Amino acid sequence: MIVGVGGAIAMTPDEPGVVWMNPALAMFANSRGGASLSYRKHFELDDLREMDASVRHRLFDDYTVSAAFARYGEQDLYLESRLTGAVARQFSDRYAAGIGIEYDRTEFGAGNAVYSGVSLTLSAAAEPLDHVIAAASLRRIAIDDFYDGVADNPGLLGELSVAWSAPPDITVGAVWSRAEDDDDRFGIGQRLRFVEGLEFISGLRFDPVRYTLGGRFTHRMGSIDYVYLSHNDLGGTHTIGVAWAW
């Protein structure tokens, strides 16, 4: 779902996958807990498969714990493995904060070269007005550098996102992000409910321009997502996801 709305994560507080970007958003989920599994093959290339599994659960009334694991690539060529865990606390009905820790490992040529690192994510989320959610995060705060050379390590990444909804029919949102020594990036997205249990999802990312189209089918507490992400030169990427809430 997150990729389908242009990365505007304030639109998707129920998604367990927000643990990667903004753990505080989980405090505004409509359900007590949830789990999700997604799969995609970037640009339809067999060597660029990606799998992501995420889970969240609300403890007591003021805390949510989340965890996720992702794997991207093929072991004989290039393989990324990522693991994250986070905790968030709600300070009032309107405000929450969260912190996450992430371990990243990259292998080249079946383990001929291996690099790993650990980083922190600091996040905040708020519902300043009814049906409006805002989120902010600072990611990739290095605890253990990924590469030996400081200049080669990923820099800090800041992100702001906001969403407005007219429940239950439509939600729109936007996101701004900027990585250290990089340009500003923007994205917009929308969710439109056709009928009970069926949503149309779309988004647009800039620099480079890429659009997304997809949908969500929901039955009781389960859901199935499909999203198509365009690319001007390499072709599109299809993502399929399943999720369950409790």
Side-chain angles (χ1 to χ4, degrees), residues 4 18 24 34 44 49 66 69-70 77 89 102-103 115 126 138 142 147 151 169 192 201 203 217 226 228 240:
V18 298
E44 291 302 296
R49 296 189 179 106
S66 306
F69 173 77
L77 180 64
R89 182 183 178 187
E102 181 175 330
Y103 170 77
Y115 303 94
L138 184 62
Y147 299 111
D169 294 322
L192 176 65
I201 305 164
F217 171 73
Y226 165 76
Y228 172 82
I240 297 175

Side-chain angles (χ1 to χ4, degrees), residues 1 4-6 8 11 169-173 188-193 199-204 214:
M1 171 69 80
V5 294
M11 299 175 61
D169 294 322
I170 188 168
T171 301
V172 294
I188 55 175
Q190 69 87 39
R191 300 170 61 178
L192 176 65
R193 190 182 78 151
E199 281 186 84
F200 170 66
I201 305 164
S202 65
L204 185 64

Side-chain angles (χ1 to χ4, degrees), residues 134-193:
S137 65
L138 184 62
R139 289 149 51 193
R140 303 197 308 219
I141 304 170
I143 298 176
D144 180 25
D145 286 337
F146 197 84
Y147 299 111
D148 292 335
V150 175
D152 296 327
N153 285 285
L156 294 174
L157 189 151
E159 185 172 78
L160 299 173
S161 180
V162 63
W164 171 83
S165 62
D169 294 322
I170 188 168
T171 301
V172 294
V175 63
W176 165 88
S177 65
R178 182 170 186 174
E180 194 173 349
D181 300 324
D182 202 351
D183 297 328
D184 296 330
R185 297 185 183 275
F186 300 91
I188 55 175
Q190 69 87 39
R191 300 170 61 178
L192 176 65
R193 190 182 78 151

